[in-house]
Amino acid sequence: SGLATSGELLEIDVVKGADYKWIAYSYNTEDVIEEPQHSQMTIDSRTDAPLLYASGMVRSAVVGSEPIVINFQHQLAQVQV
């Protein structure tokens, strides 16, 4: 796992032919956010910014770089009453 920044390359070691589930989330801010708790895969949501989330599966077919496309979807939105 690792913390990625928009526009910057993040590389992780993988095994060729192995399947990997990935998740990505953002609050669309420049704040550094915590990684999810791996034992429960939970994400603490903020109350002052919308939560953006994406996930998928990828099979490593090659040795070296294999980019994935991340398309975020809104999961929560701030509502004021």
Side-chain angles (χ1 to χ4, degrees):
S1 69
L3 181 64
T5 302
S6 179
E8 294 182 15
L9 182 63
L10 170 68
E11 294 184 353
I12 59 172
D13 293 330
V14 296
V15 176
K16 182 179 177 179
D19 293 324
Y20 295 90
K21 178 175 179 160
W22 59 268
I23 67 163
Y25 70 101
S26 173
Y27 296 110
N28 200 26
T29 68
E30 293 183 10
D31 298 338
V32 175
I33 57 178
E34 295 181 28
E35 290 189 41
Q37 300 171 11
H38 293 280
S39 60
Q40 299 176 10
M41 292 308 291
T42 59
I43 300 170
D44 293 328
S45 61
R46 293 172 44 174
T47 59
D48 62 343
L51 175 64
L52 307 174
Y53 179 82
S55 67
M57 293 288 293
V58 65
R59 174 171 285 176
S60 178
V62 297
V63 174
S65 296
E66 187 169 347
I68 59 172
V69 176
I70 299 174
N71 292 311
F72 285 113
Q73 300 292 319
H74 282 272
Q75 298 298 307
L76 300 172
Q78 182 180 13
V79 177
Q80 294 183 352
V81 179

